[in-house]
Amino acid sequence: MGTLNVLGNDYNNNCYKDCFWLCLLNSGTSFVAGFVVFSVLGFVAEKQGVTVDAVAESGPGLAFIAYPQATAMMPLPQFWTVCFFLMLILLSVDTHFVTVESVITSISDLFPTLLRAPVRHEIFVLIFCSAFFLVHLTMVTEGGIYIFQLIDYYGCTRACQDCMAVCQCVAIAWIFDRA
């Protein structure tokens, strides 16, 4: 979605250094998270006397069923549970903040005279966030897990990502052809 482009608005910014550190931190976080997840799954498998693949499958069940059960078996379970869910909340808030900022900046760049005025910009952000809040309320209903699984299964496929990449390339080529 171009989040690095949106967040790097300073013309004197060293983009190469930022991208290097972002990739390094992202890979390091994934590496540490892998150790944490698989050590906890190994701990649960050892306690239950089964193999790791029998403990949990991937998906929301891993984060909201298997991992809380695992932390309940550890010493100081309240501490580990609070740490885990605090990490999930901070990770989701950070991801949503950057995604919303990139979309809002992109739309504001299309209509600078209309949306860059001080009060109009805040109203636009409020309307945008409120609309998506109402759309995402379906995720907390009784059938919310089914909606989540539909989006997870069909919205995050390789074909969908490839189609989005081709559309973005065509849009950029069309914009630069018009300029």
Side-chain angles (χ1 to χ4, degrees):
M1 292 186 55
T3 54
L4 283 177
N5 297 337
V6 169
L7 296 176
N9 283 336
D10 186 12
Y11 290 109
N12 298 322
N13 191 24
N14 187 352
C15 293
Y16 295 115
K17 184 180 81 170
D18 288 351
C19 287
F20 172 77
W21 282 109
L22 182 69
C23 292
L24 189 69
L25 289 170
N26 191 9
S27 299
T29 303
S30 298
F31 192 68
V32 170
F35 273 117
V36 169
V37 168
F38 287 109
S39 64
V40 167
L41 290 178
F43 174 79
V44 172
E46 180 69 27
K47 284 281 191 182
Q48 294 177 352
V50 296
T51 60
V52 173
D53 59 342
V55 173
E57 295 180 11
S58 64
L62 180 64
F64 296 111
I65 297 170
Y67 207 88
Q69 287 175 349
T71 56
M73 289 188 260
M74 293 179 180
L76 297 169
Q78 294 85 0
F79 173 74
W80 295 113
T81 304
V82 166
C83 286
F84 176 70
F85 284 107
L86 187 64
M87 178 202 65
L88 280 182
I89 289 170
L90 292 176
L91 192 64
S92 64
V93 166
D94 178 53
T95 302
H96 285 288
F97 171 73
V98 171
T99 305
V100 166
E101 186 65 31
S102 66
V103 171
I104 295 225
T105 302
S106 301
I107 295 172
S108 294
D109 286 347
L110 287 175
F111 308 105
T113 56
L114 182 65
L115 297 175
R116 296 271 173 131
V119 175
R120 289 182 183 173
H121 182 75
E122 282 81 8
I123 291 173
F124 174 65
V125 171
L126 178 68
I127 291 170
F128 184 83
C129 291
S130 299
F132 276 97
F133 172 75
L134 293 174
V135 168
H136 285 95
L137 274 179
T138 60
M139 300 285 189
V140 296
T141 62
E142 284 187 35
I145 191 66
Y146 300 113
I147 295 169
F148 172 79
Q149 288 174 337
L150 282 173
I151 293 170
D152 187 44
Y153 185 75
Y154 292 109
C156 301
T157 62
R158 183 67 180 194
C160 182
Q161 292 173 351
D162 290 344
C163 180
M164 287 178 58
V166 168
C167 290
Q168 288 176 355
C169 289
V170 167
I172 290 172
W174 182 74
I175 288 169
F176 280 113
D177 184 49
R178 304 291 246 167

